[in-house]
Amino acid sequence: MRVDKVYKLSTTPLIFAGNGNCIKDLNKEINDGGMVLLWHPSWNISLKSIPKLLKTQFTFKSKGNKFIICCNSKSEYNLCKMFGLNAKLFNQNMHECEHEFMPLETPKVYDAFYAAQARNFKRMHLARFIKKLYILTYGCQGYTNDEGNDLAMFEPLIAHASWNKTYIHDKDKLSKLICASHCGLALSRKEGAMWASVQYLLCGIPLVTTPSKGGRDYFYDDHYVVLVKDNPESVLNGVNMAKKRNYNPEKIRNKILQKMIKHRYEYLDYIIENFLNEKSDRDQLFHFIWGSKIGIKKHLYEPKLDL
């Protein structure tokens, strides 16, 4: 699932799943009425989010549609329910594609890997003591040179790190970079559920993370997560701890997949019970949504082509 995109899960009835600012692609469908949107926030839901969500829910309902907020965390869910919003606890990371990220046999080159856009909330400075650091970055507008991305310009404290100069589209190349690292980093204090956090785990490397809001901790497990304090020394210690542990990549992958699959079936049960025929085949629907080699992205909705 991509940020701000929408996916068609069913034609009759018309059911979509989407993320962030995806509603812009559904203006016609909203006006026609009779559709369902299972919406995942791309950022932590807070009190400031509530008025806009209430307005969106009212707009959908007034046109005969259903707007379901798929919260990434229990605290988000409780907040939404407090204000009468139609919310369910369905973490977006269940949609990550296990066919695109997987363990690969490759030498460990980096101590840590961090997928982070050049934004202050990613707190790259917390990784400044990690000597062999790779940062997969994007969104570097204003921080480029003749070769491309220049993270040293954005954050001089991590100038020693390696990073991609241009955007990497190839998922095999991404998996190799992740698997060439002893662990993955998640250092923001607040964001959304952070797709990369589950990509690390699907590739079989452990996660070193600071406490956060936004739902990335939903699938955490003591077996593959090292929780550290919000300072560079603790982050370095967490990375060293992850390096010393004898992690089995397949066990990490299997554990996170078990959690994701269980959550997907809970999501399907909700859809079947509320919007489809109760005799619908769960396994068939599971395969339809996530079974392709690109997962749910196979169902990317492009309104101009679908009208």
Side-chain angles (χ1 to χ4, degrees), residues 121-137:
F121 76 86
K122 284 294 188 178
R123 303 197 295 179
M124 291 184 192
H125 65 279
L126 294 180
R128 66 178 181 265
F129 292 154
I130 302 170
K131 291 183 179 179
K132 297 178 180 179
L133 172 66
Y134 189 93
I135 300 178
L136 175 74
T137 194

Side-chain angles (χ1 to χ4, degrees), residues 261-295:
I261 289 170
K262 180 177 182 291
H263 202 48
R264 287 174 181 177
Y265 274 114
E266 293 168 349
Y267 182 75
L268 290 184
D269 287 342
Y270 173 75
I271 292 173
I272 290 170
E273 182 179 342
N274 289 275
F275 310 118
L276 299 178
N277 189 317
E278 291 187 1
K279 295 181 180 180
S280 300
D281 189 310
R282 295 167 80 235
D283 294 331
Q284 185 176 356
L285 187 55
F286 185 104
H287 182 76
F288 171 76
I289 296 176
W290 298 288
S292 87
K293 63 181 180 180
I294 58 172

